[in-house]
Amino acid sequence: MSFAIVAKLLAILAAVGLGWAAGRSKLLGEGDPARVLANAAFYLFVPALLVRTTARLDTHALPWSLLAAFFVPVLGLILLVYLWQRPRRTSAAEPSVKAITAGFGNTLQVGIPLAAGVFGETGLAIHITVVSLHALVLLILLTLLVELDLAREQPSRSLAATLAQTARNTVIHPVVLPVVVGLSWNATGWPLPAVLDEALQTLGTAVVPLCLTLIGLSLAQYGWPSAWRGMLGLVLVKLLVQPALVLVCAHWGFGLTGLPLAVIVMMGALPIGSNALIFAQRYRSLEAETTAATVLSTVAYVATAPLWLALLARYFPWSGGA
């Protein structure tokens, strides 16, 4: 792994550390600053990013076979984790929180420097193409699952009422509704007005630093959970099982080789993204455990990423790169 990528990981951990220090010193005041920041991210900054991304997305230029090679195994893994956890849940949201922890990668803060540093401009272009749909696809699926579980918890509800509430809560949601708005604007073919585009971009740029700070704040507020070993399995699933599934599905299922294969396998190998914590905060489930899993996976990635790069270089070599 190049020094630039290691430096990026250290910078991420430093930002998390600053958030932890702010939480421990009560710099942001008493009360629950982590939840305030999570709500700001979930209801303001992330929606702005999603609206702008979907409104500007060139759907005609997307390589659908490559996207399927990545999303089919990733979504399949998320569903398997969700189904495995449902009989063992202690709350309605717990299976979905564990599923997003096992499946949602840090495609921005870690993924972009990795793609640029290892695969060069061509690989970075492939990576960004997948990133353009990553949060949209995964968050919509997980929102549907968790809202369905929450609706089922309501006593004396018919199946029709349960499905109606699930559909309403899924669409009128701070993740899904911005996607609907953005895609609707996209369908008109009109460009975003310059002022609106600038405002959305400004709000969207706050997502990354806010989310990294939130991880540290949550770690300070909730502490390291005593039952963190239960999340260790999800960390291993994210760092080892997901990239293995992407490799098998993409290469032997979709026939990918070379650079496209290497890029999406390394996307699967990324550590847990901060959106998992925002999701846990939103549904008030496993906040401490998700925080610990995010930090642990980022640290462990320093060891697992070189292993995957070595395997790909040995058995599935690519040309080009930095």
Side-chain angles (χ1 to χ4, degrees):
M1 189 184 297
S2 71
F3 174 77
I5 299 169
V6 173
K8 188 67 176 179
L9 286 170
L10 292 175
I12 290 170
L13 292 175
V16 171
L18 289 173
W20 177 85
R24 293 289 293 179
S25 64
K26 305 296 183 183
L27 185 63
L28 301 182
E30 301 292 337
D32 195 347
R35 192 167 301 283
V36 172
L37 280 187
N39 287 337
F42 209 78
Y43 289 101
L44 184 60
F45 299 110
V46 170
L49 180 64
L50 293 176
V51 168
R52 187 172 188 267
T53 300
T54 50
R56 295 162 55 93
L57 188 64
D58 185 0
T59 56
H60 300 292
L62 292 175
W64 293 107
S65 61
L66 182 143
L67 292 170
F70 176 79
F71 284 112
V72 167
V74 170
L75 293 177
L77 178 63
I78 286 174
L79 287 172
L80 283 174
V81 172
Y82 168 80
L83 293 172
W84 176 258
Q85 294 297 329
R86 281 201 82 237
R88 299 162 177 79
R89 63 182 178 179
T90 58
S91 69
E94 185 176 311
S96 298
V97 171
K98 288 188 174 181
I100 194 173
T101 303
F104 202 104
N106 191 331
T107 57
L108 295 177
Q109 301 103 311
V110 178
I112 287 178
L114 174 75
V118 176
F119 303 120
E121 290 186 8
T122 304
L124 179 60
I126 296 171
H127 178 89
I128 290 176
T129 299
V130 182
V131 169
S132 69
L133 292 177
H134 182 259
L136 311 183
V137 174
L138 270 60
L139 287 176
I140 288 175
L141 171 65
L142 289 156
T143 297
L144 179 62
L145 292 175
V146 72
E147 291 295 344
L148 184 58
D149 283 338
L150 289 171
R152 287 196 190 107
E153 292 288 305
Q154 301 295 323
S156 305
R157 277 190 176 272
S158 64
L159 176 61
T162 297
L163 293 177
Q165 180 181 347
T166 301
R168 182 172 60 253
N169 291 346
T170 300
V171 174
I172 305 174
H173 187 278
V175 168
V176 180
L177 189 57
V179 173
V180 173
V181 171
L183 289 177
S184 298
W185 186 275
N186 190 307
T188 67
W190 302 334
L192 284 171
V195 174
L196 177 60
D197 185 53
E198 184 69 24
L200 293 174
Q201 183 179 24
T202 301
L203 292 171
T205 55
V207 171
V208 170
L210 187 148
C211 290
L212 292 178
T213 305
L214 176 61
I215 293 171
L217 274 174
S218 299
L219 195 61
Q221 181 168 329
Y222 303 119
W224 196 270
S226 58
W228 68 272
R229 289 179 179 83
M231 302 299 278
L232 180 59
L234 298 179
V235 172
L236 295 177
V237 167
K238 181 66 194 75
L239 296 178
L240 300 177
V241 177
Q242 186 179 111
L245 285 178
V246 173
L247 174 60
V248 170
C249 183
H251 182 66
W252 285 279
F254 288 85
L256 288 188
T257 58
L259 188 62
L261 177 66
V263 170
I264 65 171
V265 169
M266 292 311 299
M267 282 195 73
L270 290 169
I272 298 167
S274 52
N275 270 299
L277 176 57
I278 295 177
F279 192 87
Q281 290 270 16
R282 155 75 174 174
Y283 293 103
R284 297 176 180 264
S285 176
L286 301 174
E287 294 102 323
E289 290 82 359
T290 305
T291 300
T294 303
V295 174
L296 183 61
S297 70
T298 303
V299 174
Y301 180 74
V302 177
T304 58
L307 295 178
W308 282 110
L309 287 171
L311 184 148
L312 289 168
R314 175 68 177 84
Y315 297 103
F316 308 93
W318 67 90
S319 60

